[in-house]
Amino acid sequence: KRDHIDNIALELLPQLQKIADDAVSSDDDLAMRLTWISFKVYYSCIQSGIPPSFQAPDQLVAWGTSFIKMIEKPVAFDKETMDEDAAKEPVWKAKKWAIRSINRLYARYGNPALLPASDSKKNMPFAKLFTANFLPQLVQVYLKQVEGYATGQIWMSLRLRGLVAQFLSDCVKEKSAWKLVKPHTEGIVSHFIFPQMCFSRADQELWEDNPVEYVQKRIDPLDDFGSPHVAASSLLIDLAVDRKKSTLSFILSFVNNVLTTYAQSPVESRDPRSKDGALNMMGALCGGLCSRKSPIFDTLPDFLLTHVIPEFTSQLGFLRARALDTYCRYSSVQFQDKQVLAGIFESVFNLLSDPELPVRVHAALALQPMIENEDVRDVLSSHLPQVMQMFLNLTNEIDSDTISPVIEEFVEVFADRMAPFAVQLAQQLCDTFMRVMSDAVSKVPEITSANLDDISDKTMAAMGVLKTLGTLVLNLESTPE
């Protein structure tokens, strides 16, 4: 099968490239359709292997030139009316497939740092050729797109922003590419990554119009895979971890400046979206910053007390949710005063009854790590029936397995105190399982691309409920009740 693809690539793809190259110069919709279909064919040919003919310098130059011409093709747009519907137009599809093709070519075959060990010997010559002769120009093209987006001269769809961030992440991992990207790091962080991390107008609309979908897309990273937010977050982590000496100090300084400016500004002139973005960046970096080797480890308690916990009572739902998410990620931070933790627990517990669904979900997730503390467990034990009912209500509302790990851990930790209402809890879990599975099964005969994700979410939710039920039975089977 691979031979067939290679033969087709050798005989037909050069002709297709000429068609695409001629079409790139046109503004006609039909020409743009030819372009994006041609690029999509190229992408398909390099999915599982790179044809020998594609590795020839002349073909690499030819296709690369066409890709670059398409990416740099100026497209007029109105800042006030431009929205994601435009991404469906042929010209934006052509840009997307040009970037996807370059990304795939570089990540899979042209980046020496990312080559699988099994393919290293076979693809290393091409990777060295690509890195030495083609990568420098490509990096400049992508950086120009980032600059244009930051200054408002170029419109980029959500998908395009995610793809550009993915390419830059791959560049961070490779030595020669990093040298090209390094001088632009501060601009990338402040003008490209940061805006993607802030609560956007689209986030606000989704929050208000469909809070269940907001929870599924923004809280479950698998559901949001490929989004510009996830790609920007991954790029930030790669910069802070892989190039720590060169970037971490600036990143932390940038975040601190945003948070300090917010705190010192009059209430009426504060930008809550910028604070959301800064806390989101801190949340993304929690893995390294919570380590005792972190340069700011000793200041984390003050960070939480000053910038995070006060937002539990924010008038804005998205800031309450972000504060809960940030605290959850930094829940390992210890406070010398035990009363601080007691106050935090009380606030989180109260937010389980928040009027906003995403806030309630984040509150449930924030409670999970808190039960490691014995004092919190003692206080919670008297509220267990109420808390478990809240968790079950959330599971029923979002039809996702997001809350299932929380319920499961509560069952394990409080197994000896679950007995009085275990039968009622088990019955409710069974009812939830049957309802979710019934909803999923009812949609199976009419599976479409539109409802496939919903069926998948419901199936995962049912599996989570079933696992929790199993945990409940196992933990209570030895009790007298």
Side-chain angles (χ1 to χ4, degrees):
K1 292 182 179 180
R2 185 71 239 179
D3 290 342
H4 294 322
I5 295 176
D6 291 347
N7 290 333
I8 292 172
L10 177 63
E11 297 295 332
L12 299 182
L13 267 292
Q15 301 174 47
L16 191 63
Q17 186 277 323
K18 292 178 182 178
I19 294 173
D21 199 58
D22 291 339
V24 167
S25 303
S26 173
D27 293 327
D28 182 72
D29 268 6
L30 178 58
M32 289 297 96
R33 289 179 185 275
L34 284 172
T35 303
W36 75 259
I37 290 173
S38 300
F39 291 167
K40 192 172 181 179
V41 170
Y42 180 93
Y43 179 87
S44 300
C45 289
I46 61 172
Q47 269 288 73
S48 59
I50 181 169
S53 59
F54 283 13
Q55 301 181 42
D58 60 331
Q59 279 299 298
L60 195 56
V61 169
W63 280 103
T65 301
S66 297
F67 293 146
I68 291 173
K69 285 168 63 176
M70 188 64 240
I71 294 171
E72 294 187 328
K73 183 181 179 69
V75 181
F77 67 97
D78 184 344
K79 294 180 181 179
E80 299 299 323
T81 60
M82 202 69 171
D83 58 28
E84 285 303 309
D85 288 338
K88 300 175 184 178
E89 296 175 6
V91 63
W92 296 106
K93 285 188 175 183
K95 284 179 176 287
K96 180 187 74 173
W97 283 102
I99 293 179
R100 285 196 71 178
S101 297
I102 291 175
N103 283 15
R104 181 63 178 174
L105 195 63
Y106 179 51
R108 183 67 177 81
Y109 313 104
N111 190 331
L114 299 178
L115 286 179
S118 58
D119 294 339
S120 181
K121 185 176 180 181
K122 179 176 66 174
N123 291 329
M124 187 58 75
F126 174 78
K128 291 181 177 179
L129 171 71
F130 187 93
T131 301
N133 299 322
F134 300 97
L135 184 62
Q137 184 180 0
L138 291 175
V139 170
Q140 294 307 314
V141 169
Y142 277 72
L143 290 175
K144 185 178 178 182
Q145 295 298 301
V146 170
E147 181 182 358
Y149 169 76
T151 57
Q153 297 175 347
I154 295 175
W155 182 79
M156 295 173 68
S157 67
L158 294 173
R159 184 66 174 128
L160 286 181
R161 279 178 261 161
L163 290 170
V164 169
Q166 288 171 10
F167 178 84
L168 294 176
S169 286
D170 291 338
C171 289
V172 169
K173 296 179 176 68
E174 202 274 317
K175 187 176 180 180
S176 60
W178 168 241
K179 290 181 179 179
L180 301 171
V181 172
K182 183 179 178 181
H184 307 274
T185 300
E186 294 186 5
I188 290 171
V189 171
S190 57
H191 300 302
F192 185 68
I193 293 178
F194 176 62
Q196 317 300 326
M197 305 291 281
C198 294
F199 191 78
S200 66
R201 183 177 64 181
D203 291 331
Q204 183 71 46
E205 292 175 355
L206 187 60
W207 177 294
E208 294 173 353
D209 298 340
N210 195 338
V212 172
E213 186 176 352
Y214 179 90
V215 168
Q216 293 171 346
K217 284 186 173 296
R218 297 295 184 266
I219 298 181
D220 187 342
L222 293 179
D223 278 3
D224 209 22
F225 183 75
S227 74
H229 166 259
V230 172
S233 180
S234 297
L235 174 56
L236 179 69
I237 294 169
D238 287 337
L239 285 169
V241 174
D242 294 340
R243 303 298 172 182
K244 181 178 179 179
K245 291 182 179 179
S246 303
T247 65
L248 186 58
S249 176
F250 169 77
I251 292 172
L252 294 177
S253 176
F254 174 81
V255 170
N256 183 62
N257 287 339
V258 173
L259 294 175
T260 301
T261 300
Y262 180 89
Q264 295 177 351
S265 299
V267 175
E268 63 275 8
S269 62
R270 289 175 174 175
D271 179 9
R273 297 179 190 274
S274 68
K275 178 162 189 179
D276 177 83
L279 292 181
N280 199 0
M281 290 174 70
M282 285 295 290
L285 298 175
C286 65
L289 297 183
C290 283
S291 166
R292 291 192 174 275
K293 296 181 180 179
S294 164
I296 63 168
F297 178 79
D298 292 334
T299 66
L300 288 178
D302 288 337
F303 159 70
L304 293 174
L305 290 171
T306 304
H307 300 295
V308 178
I309 294 169
E311 298 300 343
F312 286 171
T313 57
S314 170
Q315 296 298 309
L316 299 170
F318 72 85
L319 267 186
R320 296 197 299 274
R322 179 63 62 201
L324 286 164
D325 177 63
T326 306
Y327 174 73
C328 183
R329 293 171 185 266
Y330 286 89
S331 58
S332 62
V333 173
Q334 300 293 316
F335 298 96
Q336 292 184 347
D337 185 354
K338 289 187 177 182
Q339 292 304 311
V340 172
L341 183 60
I344 294 173
F345 166 73
E346 183 178 356
S347 297
V348 174
F349 181 78
N350 289 336
L351 287 171
L352 279 174
S353 304
D354 193 272
E356 302 282 0
L357 174 63
V359 177
R360 297 199 299 274
V361 173
H362 275 296
L365 296 174
L367 269 184
Q368 183 178 6
M370 296 186 75
I371 61 177
E372 295 179 5
N373 183 278
E374 186 175 350
D375 294 334
V376 170
R377 290 199 300 271
D378 290 341
V379 176
L380 254 179
S381 60
S382 60
H383 300 284
L384 267 183
Q386 177 187 357
V387 172
M388 297 303 290
Q389 186 62 56
M390 289 178 173
F391 289 165
L392 288 172
N393 291 343
L394 283 175
T395 299
N396 285 321
E397 283 187 78
I398 63 179
D399 278 351
S400 163
D401 65 335
T402 304
I403 305 297
S404 296
V406 182
I407 300 176
E408 189 174 349
E409 184 156 349
F410 266 69
V411 168
E412 291 180 353
V413 172
F414 296 103
D416 57 331
R417 305 175 193 181
M418 289 281 182
F421 58 95
V423 174
Q424 179 186 356
L425 177 60
Q427 183 61 56
Q428 289 183 310
L429 287 170
C430 289
D431 292 343
T432 299
F433 174 79
M434 295 302 296
R435 182 191 61 77
V436 173
M437 280 306 300
S438 178
D439 289 346
V441 170
S442 67
K443 296 183 179 182
V444 169
E446 301 176 356
I447 290 181
T448 65
S449 58
N451 67 13
L452 185 58
D453 286 344
D454 187 40
I455 294 173
S456 177
D457 287 338
K458 290 181 183 297
T459 303
M460 293 299 294
M463 291 173 63
V465 171
L466 197 59
K467 187 179 179 184
T468 302
L469 186 58
T471 302
L472 178 64
V473 172
L474 289 174
N475 279 279
L476 294 178
E477 63 180 357
S478 60
T479 61
E481 295 86 346

